[in-house]
Amino acid sequence: MKILIAEDEIDLQKSMATYLSQDGNVCETASDHEEALYKLDVYEYDIVILDINLVTGSGLEVLKVLKQQDRNTATIIISANSSLDDKLEGLDLGADDYLIKPFHLAELNSRIKAILRRGKFGGTETIEFNEISVDTRAKTVFVEGRALILTRKEYDLILFFITNKNRVLSKEIIAEHLWGDHSDLIDNYDFIYVHINNLRKKLTEVGAKYIKTAYGSGYKFMEE
């Protein structure tokens, strides 16, 4: 998934990004209130990890803006303050969870997975689209019960397509989802075509012809 970590303690920020990236997530960071608001305005995220006490402003103000925009982005509040009032305010504003510092990174990761299961994955670790089944825990894709051998980027692509089925995804959105901040440094999107064509070929070979080209716009994952 694509995650924004808004945390002004740089060591903790780096630790979270490194740990969560090892689980296959694309992690971006913001070190203050303004940077968090800017990235949320420009990019789409599956989940935001948001410190209440950012250097230049309150994380709760960032949360208010996020919810006013009615974005389908989950939020976990983190804070060194164990005050019940702060916790209740964060949850009342629409946060999905609340963690008090210090916490174990493994617990944070588990809570992220639980939120995503409840949201995008409908409470399950298995996503299905017709004869395609995706085991999000094992990061394995099956077509009619047979495992499909995919690279890591191909797996990320099919999961992104299925969770956004029937929606046109531009090459810019796909690049941003798969590579995060680094997508801004890309001169062209030839590598996107390569990954999509390889995935499409593997799916077509087993009769799953769902990746459609929306000419001039991008790609759409849908039935005929």
Side-chain angles (χ1 to χ4, degrees):
M1 297 296 101
K2 188 172 181 185
I3 301 172
L4 175 64
I5 301 169
E7 167 60 59
D8 56 16
E9 294 180 40
I10 301 303
D11 288 342
L12 176 58
Q13 179 196 101
K14 290 180 178 178
S15 294
M16 287 191 287
T18 299
Y19 187 90
L20 296 174
S21 295
Q22 290 173 350
D23 203 32
N25 301 295
V26 174
C27 295
E28 298 181 5
T29 59
S31 300
D32 57 39
H33 178 268
E34 287 76 14
E35 188 178 11
L37 286 175
Y38 170 77
K39 289 197 171 182
L40 286 169
D41 185 54
V42 174
Y43 303 114
E44 293 283 343
Y45 297 95
D46 296 297
I47 193 162
V48 178
I49 301 168
L50 185 59
D51 187 2
I52 283 184
N53 300 308
L54 294 170
V55 171
T56 57
S58 170
L60 293 179
E61 293 302 317
V62 176
L63 178 59
K64 288 179 183 177
V65 172
L66 183 63
K67 295 306 176 181
Q68 286 170 358
Q69 294 174 348
D70 197 26
R71 302 267 286 277
N72 186 28
T73 303
T75 312
I76 295 179
I77 291 289
I78 58 175
S79 176
N81 190 346
S82 60
S83 166
L84 178 60
D85 289 341
D86 283 348
K87 181 175 182 178
L88 291 177
E89 183 178 3
L91 295 173
D92 286 344
L93 286 172
D96 296 272
D97 206 343
Y98 191 107
L99 264 176
I100 297 172
K101 300 177 184 178
F103 51 81
H104 293 288
L105 294 176
E107 180 182 4
L108 173 64
N109 197 27
S110 292
R111 294 199 184 203
I112 288 171
K113 290 179 178 178
I115 288 171
L116 292 173
R117 282 198 302 271
R118 293 197 302 266
K120 284 184 175 291
F121 303 160
T124 178
E125 292 177 342
T126 301
I127 305 172
E128 295 185 351
F129 181 87
N130 292 349
E131 71 272 34
I132 300 174
S133 177
V134 182
D135 184 334
T136 61
R137 177 181 288 272
K139 296 182 172 60
T140 305
V141 177
F142 299 89
V143 178
E144 294 184 341
R146 298 177 59 185
L148 193 65
I149 306 303
L150 301 176
T151 66
R152 184 53 205 248
K153 289 302 181 186
E154 289 165 0
Y155 169 82
D156 291 342
L157 263 176
I158 194 170
L159 184 61
F160 190 46
F161 273 132
I162 291 177
T163 54
N164 290 277
K165 58 182 179 291
N166 299 319
R167 173 188 172 193
V168 175
L169 300 174
S170 70
K171 57 184 181 297
E172 292 85 0
I173 288 175
I174 294 171
E176 178 196 324
H177 179 79
L178 296 182
W179 280 272
D181 285 337
H182 300 295
S183 66
D184 294 338
L185 305 176
I186 296 166
D187 294 329
N188 62 66
Y189 293 93
D190 289 348
F191 67 96
I192 290 289
Y193 304 134
V194 171
H195 287 299
I196 290 177
N197 286 340
N198 288 342
L199 175 61
R200 176 186 268 159
K201 181 179 179 181
K202 291 179 181 181
L203 289 171
T204 300
E205 287 175 349
V206 293
K209 302 177 181 179
Y210 299 121
I211 300 177
K212 313 297 181 184
T213 300
Y215 292 100
S217 302
Y219 299 90
K220 183 184 288 188
F221 196 87
M222 60 181 294
E223 298 183 61
E224 292 287 359

